[in-house]
Amino acid sequence: MVRSFYDNTEALVLDGLESIALLRPYISLDPATKTIWLRHHKDTQVALISGGGAGHEPAHAGYVGDGMLTAAVSGSVFASPSVAQILSAITRVSGPSGVLLIIKNYTGDIFHFRLAAEKARVALGIPVEVLTVDDDVSVGRRKSGKVGRRGLAGTVLVHKILGTCSRDTNANISKLLELGNEVVQNLVTAGVSLEHVQIPGRDAAPVSMDDQVELGMGIHNEPGCLLLSPRPPLSDIINMMLNQLLDTKDEDRAYVDFTGARHVVVMVNNLGGLSPLEFGGITGKVVQAIKLRNIVPTLVLSGTYMTSLNGPGFSITLLKATLEMIEYLEAPTNAAGWGSLSVSHLHDRPVAETATPISVNEDHAKAVESSGISFDAEIFKRVIHQSCQNLIDTEPLITQYDTLVGDGDCGVTLSRGARAVLTHADDISDPSDVVKTINKLAGIMETDLDGTSGAIYSIFFTALAAELRATTTKSMNHVAWVQAANKSLEKLQQATPARQGDRTLMDALEPFIKTLVQGRSLADAVAAAKAGMEATKGMKASLGRAVYVPESVWDQVPDPGAQGVVCILEGLGAAIS
C-alpha cells in the first residue's frame, strides 16, 4: 500500500506551490487563487498562461520562468482550476499584447479556461486566445469520439517553444497561436504504467495490477487502452508504444507521419514513480529502439516533465520539428521544471502576495442592480440545505463510482462545493431579488466547485440568473422556474456537446427539465431524472473520462455526475413536498 506524509490534498497543493516561490526570487504566489506568476514580465510581450489539476508536477507551476510561462493556475489534485482563479491570473499578467492560454484537452480545463477567456474578452477587453494540446495516441479516434485525444507530456514542449518565441521575437498573439497549432499537429505521446496511483488522503483504487502493465495510461488514473498480462519485457513494451506513435497504417492512431522527417525531438518522461536508475535505463532503450526504425533524433529530452503523482510509469513523446522549434527548445530558461532543480538563497521578500482584485465585469455589475423579482427564500434555503446534505452524505458512493469510471474526484468535488454553498446559504438568499440570489450561487460554484462539474453547474446557474432577469413576472412561481430552467438547459447545451444518452449528468438533468416542461409534477420529474441516471449503467460513454475506461466497467455503476444531479433533485423534491 502506498503511503503519504500528507492526508490533506489542499494543504499539499498549497505547500508545493509555496516551495516554488520560496526558492525562486523571480516567482510570486497568490495562495487564494493558487496562481504562480513571473514577477517581471514585460507587458509588451504576450503573456502565456497554463494550468490544470495539481498532481502533474513540475507541470504547470514549474514552467513559469523567463522563456516559458508567464503564469500557471493550479486546481485541486486532478481537478481543473475554477473560472475565477483563471480570470484572476489573466488580469494579473495581461498587457496590451494579450494572453494566450495553453491547456490540455480535458473537459474541465476546456470549460473553465474557455469561459474565463470569454469573460476576459467580453467584459474586460483583454485579447485572449486558447490553444488546446491533444497529443495522446493510445486512445484512438474510435474510442475518443467527441472528446478527442487527451493532452499529455507533449504540452511541456508547447510551453517551451512558445515561451521562448515570445521572449526572443516579441511575436504577436496570432503568430504564437499559429506556431502553437503547428507544434500540436506534429506532436504525439504514448504512456505506460505498472500501477494506478493513490491520491494522498484517499483510499487506494480497487485495482490490482500484479505482474501486469497498462499501455495507454493517462495522467489522471484513467485506465489505458490495453492491459498486458503477464508483463512483457521492457523492449517489447517500448516497441508497442513506438508502433502506436509511428505506424502510418494504423488508421485509428496515425496522427503524424514521421517518414523522412529531418528533425525529430524525443522526450522520455517519468510519470513520477520510477527511480533515476531505472528511468535512465528506459531512456537509453527508447533511443536505441527509435534508431532501429531509421530515426535519428535531433534532440533527446529525458526527465520528470509531467507526472501522475508518483505513477510508476513513463511516456514517450515525439515531435516532428522545424529548425526554429529546435532552437527554441535549446534556448536557456530559468523555469524550475525545465532544467535540473537547484536551491537558491532564501530572500527577504514575503513568499506569498495578496491577489489584486480583478475588475468587476458587466454581468456582475448587472447582478448588483436589483431585479425586483421576489421568491420564497425560506423554501429556497430548505432546498439548498437538503440538496447539499444529500451530496455530502452520498460522497463515498459517488467517489466509488468515479474511481471505477473516472479519476475518483467527482464525489469529493461535489461535496466540497456543497459545503461551500451551505456556508453561504443564509447570506445569499435575498427574498426580494431572485436574480441576485442565483447569481451569487453561481459565483460560489465558479469559485469553490472545480473540475468539469464546476464548469457545468456554473454555466447553468449563470444562465438561469440571466433568464430569470428576462422574465416578466414580479414574483416567482412554478411556471416561471420551469421556463427559466428550460432555457438555461439550452444555454448549457450550447457550451457542451453532451446530451442524454452520452453517459453524463445530462442523463439526469435533461429528463428532469423535459418532464417539467411537459406539465407533469415535480415528483414525476425527479423520478425521470433517477430513471435517466439508472439508464447510464451499461451505456456507452461519449464524453468525459469514462470514454477511456474499459467498456466492461460501464455495466457496473451509473454515471457519477448523473448520481450527483439526482442527489440535488431529490433534495429539491423533499424540501418542497
Side-chain angles (χ1 to χ4, degrees):
M1 178 178 178
V2 179
R3 296 185 298 168
S4 170
F5 288 105
Y6 280 81
D7 56 12
N8 182 321
T9 56
E10 287 303 301
L12 170 59
V13 173
L14 285 173
D15 286 354
L17 292 172
E18 187 173 285
S19 71
I20 295 176
L22 179 70
L23 299 173
R24 285 170 174 78
Y26 53 87
I27 293 293
S28 290
L29 163 69
D30 173 23
T33 60
K34 290 185 281 194
T35 298
I36 287 280
W37 74 96
L38 193 58
R39 289 171 60 84
H40 304 298
H41 169 68
K42 298 177 181 177
D43 65 6
T44 56
Q45 295 176 345
V46 176
L48 271 59
I49 300 177
S50 190
H56 307 307
E57 288 69 23
H60 302 82
Y63 298 119
V64 174
D66 180 49
M68 286 197 78
L69 298 176
T70 314
V73 192
S74 177
S76 303
V77 172
F78 292 172
S80 171
S82 70
V83 174
Q85 288 176 259
I86 301 162
L87 193 57
S88 176
I90 291 172
T91 58
R92 183 182 290 282
V93 300
S94 66
S97 298
V99 176
L100 178 59
L101 305 180
I102 304 171
I103 63 174
K104 302 184 300 300
N105 187 32
Y106 292 98
T107 307
D109 290 346
I110 295 292
F111 273 134
H112 286 149
F113 279 87
R114 287 195 176 277
L115 183 55
E118 187 64 20
K119 287 194 172 210
R121 280 192 296 258
V122 174
L124 305 176
I126 300 173
V128 182
E129 296 291 346
V130 182
L131 175 65
T132 303
V133 183
D134 52 353
D135 52 320
D136 179 31
V137 298
S138 296
V139 180
R141 293 178 174 88
R142 290 188 294 272
K143 185 74 171 176
S144 59
K146 294 180 181 180
V147 181
R149 298 188 287 156
R150 300 173 290 198
L152 299 178
T155 309
V156 178
L157 300 183
V158 179
H159 293 165
K160 183 61 172 68
I161 292 169
L162 297 192
T164 302
C165 177
S166 179
R167 179 193 66 187
D168 293 354
T169 72
N170 211 30
N172 62 32
I173 198 167
S174 297
K175 166 63 178 173
L176 290 176
L177 189 60
E178 179 184 353
L179 176 60
N181 280 314
E182 183 182 1
V183 176
V184 171
Q185 290 163 11
N186 288 280
L187 190 64
V188 286
T189 299
V192 68
S193 184
L194 297 170
E195 188 62 84
H196 291 257
V197 300
Q198 180 181 353
I199 297 175
R202 299 188 201 170
D203 293 335
V207 179
S208 175
M209 291 179 58
D210 292 342
D211 197 32
Q212 297 176 339
V213 66
E214 201 152 355
L215 192 64
M217 281 283 285
I219 53 173
H220 301 97
N221 251 351
E222 312 102 316
C225 62
L226 186 61
L227 187 64
L228 304 173
S229 179
R231 176 169 53 87
L234 175 59
S235 57
D236 291 352
I237 295 171
I238 291 172
N239 276 313
M240 290 179 188
M241 298 170 73
L242 291 179
N243 285 341
Q244 291 189 340
L245 294 165
L246 296 169
D247 186 0
T248 57
K249 296 179 181 178
D250 184 349
E251 295 181 357
D252 199 34
R253 295 186 175 88
Y255 292 98
V256 180
D257 186 356
F258 286 85
T259 305
R262 296 186 60 188
H263 300 289
V264 175
V265 176
V266 179
M267 171 192 277
V268 188
N269 171 59
N270 188 344
L271 286 174
L274 299 181
S275 69
L277 176 63
E278 184 173 13
F279 182 68
I282 288 170
T283 299
K285 285 190 173 293
V286 169
V287 174
Q288 291 169 9
I290 290 174
K291 287 182 177 179
L292 289 174
R293 295 175 183 244
N294 297 318
I295 296 176
V296 179
T298 305
L299 189 63
V300 177
L301 303 172
S302 175
T304 303
Y305 292 97
M306 182 174 288
T307 63
S308 178
L309 289 173
N310 59 346
F314 64 95
S315 62
I316 304 172
T317 298
L318 301 180
L319 169 64
K320 186 165 72 172
T322 63
L323 188 58
E324 176 191 33
M325 295 175 192
I326 298 292
E327 291 172 349
Y328 290 148
L329 288 170
E330 291 182 320
T333 177
N334 60 4
W338 185 254
S340 58
L341 296 178
S342 61
V343 178
S344 66
H345 294 290
L346 300 183
H347 32 84
D348 296 330
R349 70 176 181 82
V351 171
E353 296 186 14
T354 305
T356 303
I358 63 174
S359 302
V360 178
N361 62 35
E362 293 178 358
D363 290 338
H364 290 160
K366 290 178 181 176
V368 174
E369 303 169 6
S370 176
S371 67
I373 305 173
S374 63
F375 73 115
D376 193 323
E378 291 307 312
I379 291 180
F380 176 79
K381 283 190 279 189
R382 288 207 307 268
V383 170
I384 289 292
H385 281 277
Q386 187 64 59
S387 296
C388 289
Q389 194 59 52
N390 281 1
L391 283 175
I392 294 168
D393 293 343
T394 315
E395 181 271 318
L397 181 65
I398 298 175
T399 296
Q400 177 189 346
Y401 290 168
D402 199 40
T403 299
L404 292 171
V405 297
D407 57 14
D409 74 332
C410 183
V412 175
T413 297
L414 291 174
S415 176
R416 185 189 306 118
R419 293 179 192 278
V421 172
L422 280 178
T423 301
H424 300 286
D426 293 333
D427 300 333
I428 66 175
S429 301
D430 183 348
S432 66
D433 195 342
V434 68
V435 173
K436 185 180 292 185
T437 299
I438 298 300
N439 229 324
K440 288 181 178 179
L441 181 61
I444 294 171
M445 293 181 178
E446 186 175 296
T447 303
D448 295 287
L449 187 61
D450 46 22
T452 305
S453 299
I456 291 176
Y457 283 102
S458 177
I459 292 170
F460 180 83
F461 281 100
T462 299
L464 182 61
E467 295 301 332
L468 291 174
R469 180 176 292 280
T471 187
T472 56
T473 185
K474 290 301 178 184
S475 179
M476 291 301 297
N477 53 40
H478 177 78
V479 173
W481 279 112
V482 171
Q483 290 176 343
N486 188 43
K487 291 181 179 178
S488 300
L489 176 63
E490 293 175 1
K491 290 286 182 63
L492 174 60
Q493 291 183 332
Q494 291 174 13
T496 172
R499 300 293 185 270
Q500 187 175 0
D502 282 334
R503 192 184 171 96
T504 68
L505 61 77
M506 288 293 185
D507 287 285
L509 180 62
E510 198 171 321
F512 171 77
I513 294 177
K514 285 183 176 178
T515 302
L516 291 176
V517 170
Q518 293 168 2
R520 295 164 62 188
S521 69
L522 177 60
D524 287 341
V526 173
K530 190 171 183 179
M533 179 267 291
E534 292 291 347
T536 61
K537 288 182 180 178
M539 183 183 292
K540 179 180 179 180
S542 300
L543 292 161
R545 288 178 185 152
V547 165
Y548 305 123
V549 306
E551 296 183 10
S552 58
V553 180
W554 295 342
D555 293 330
Q556 299 180 26
V557 297
D559 177 70
Q563 176 68 68
V565 170
V566 168
C567 287
I568 295 171
L569 298 180
E570 286 182 336
L572 171 66
I576 292 181
S577 61

